[in-house]
Amino acid sequence: MATSPSAFKESAALPPGYRGLRGEILLEFKQSARGLTARDLVERLGSSLNTVRHYLKEMVTAAVISRVREQRGVGAPVHVYQLSAAGENLFPRRYDVLLTDILGQLAGKNGRAAVVEAMEERYANLGLRLKSELENAPSQTRLETVARILGEEGYMAAWEETRGEIRLTEHNCAIKAVAERFPEICEAEEKFLRDVLGAGVERRSHILSGCTACEYSIHFPDAGPDGDPGIVGNS
């Protein structure tokens, strides 16, 4: 028996900011085989054009959807909207459960060390790519790049310099379920940060310890006469 649209909407478990009409718009994009215009959404949802356009503008600003101009039939081109990668990520996923199960099976067959080795290898491969990209780069560029990469991985990372102290903060653990079962992975991350940043890295707070974020204190070596000019300003 097919699932009714209302039942699907109730089971979608979208974040609190995307309930009501916002959530309905998001679900229309998810279920559509192609991009939608504002008028498409008006026809499907029965809301006013101004209201739909208001929400679309908000969602474009939030980078949840993207917008392009497209020629459809005769007349002037129209704005067509579709989900962005960030919008796709708002929908529930079970990747953490799947990954934890797979790593659990790997540990059962080959021991916990095999899991840690696999994660260390992943960090090592990422580190090799970034090292070539950041070779001879100043400290600020290194921090900005690492924070961006971690952000793309779902860690909500940011860095700042306050009173001469540099801190890198991850506001979310993208693999929390895995890290809870294999906390050794966190040591692999710390080593990755040391290698890529070329700096001393000390963890000051830890999500697995009940903190709201993982926070690292970063200590770059003193620059020589021809060395890194150091950090200027904040992220």
Side-chain angles (χ1 to χ4, degrees), residues 207-219:
I207 290 175
L208 294 189
S209 299
C211 301
T212 58
C214 286
E215 187 175 74
Y216 295 96
S217 179
I218 311 297
H219 306 278

Side-chain angles (χ1 to χ4, degrees), residues 2-231:
T3 303
S4 69
S6 60
F8 179 80
K9 291 174 182 178
E10 289 173 1
S11 66
L14 290 169
Y18 291 92
R19 305 287 168 81
L21 184 57
R22 282 191 187 88
E24 291 181 21
I25 291 173
L26 209 62
L27 287 168
E28 289 295 339
F29 284 124
K30 183 66 172 173
Q31 297 174 85
S32 177
R34 65 172 190 164
L36 300 172
T37 67
R39 294 189 182 277
D40 290 335
L41 291 167
V42 168
E43 292 176 4
R44 296 183 182 206
L45 300 174
S47 185
S48 72
L49 183 59
N50 284 341
T51 300
V52 167
R53 282 176 171 166
H54 170 75
Y55 284 127
L56 289 175
K57 183 178 179 181
E58 280 187 352
M59 294 164 76
V60 168
T61 301
V64 170
I65 59 175
S66 60
R67 180 181 67 181
V68 296
R69 290 180 67 82
E70 185 177 303
Q71 186 70 49
R72 289 191 175 181
V74 297
V78 295
H79 284 125
V80 178
Y81 303 83
Q82 61 185 10
L83 280 180
S84 66
E88 290 283 359
N89 287 335
L90 290 174
F91 289 86
R93 280 161 162 59
R94 300 288 288 175
Y95 296 153
D96 56 343
V97 176
L98 176 61
L99 179 58
T100 304
D101 286 346
I102 292 174
L103 293 178
Q105 293 174 26
L106 177 62
K109 291 181 179 179
N110 303 306
R112 295 178 66 88
V115 174
V116 177
E117 182 180 351
M119 294 302 293
E120 286 179 342
E121 184 175 350
R122 181 180 184 277
Y123 277 122
N125 290 335
L126 179 58
L128 285 174
R129 178 168 68 84
L130 289 179
K131 276 186 176 181
S132 62
E133 180 181 336
L134 297 175
E135 187 175 5
N136 300 322
S139 303
Q140 181 168 342
T141 300
R142 291 173 179 268
L143 285 164
E144 290 172 350
T145 302
V146 168
R148 174 178 57 80
I149 293 297
L150 290 173
E152 292 172 354
E153 293 278 319
Y155 289 89
M156 296 177 62
W159 72 273
E160 65 177 355
E161 181 187 21
T162 306
R163 297 177 183 177
E165 182 178 16
I166 303 166
R167 296 208 173 196
L168 176 68
T169 304
E170 296 172 345
H171 295 279
N172 181 57
C173 180
I175 55 170
K176 186 178 179 183
V178 177
E180 286 174 338
R181 188 166 178 181
F182 302 99
E184 301 96 326
I185 291 171
C186 299
E187 303 306 318
E189 178 186 75
E190 193 169 342
K191 181 179 184 300
F192 160 75
L193 293 174
R194 284 198 301 269
D195 291 345
V196 173
L197 291 173
V201 176
E202 180 184 356
R203 186 189 293 118
R204 294 292 182 85
S205 64
H206 199 192
I207 290 175
L208 294 189
S209 299
C211 301
T212 58
C214 286
E215 187 175 74
Y216 295 96
S217 179
I218 311 297
H219 306 278
F220 285 97
D222 293 335
D226 300 320
D228 188 333
I231 304 295

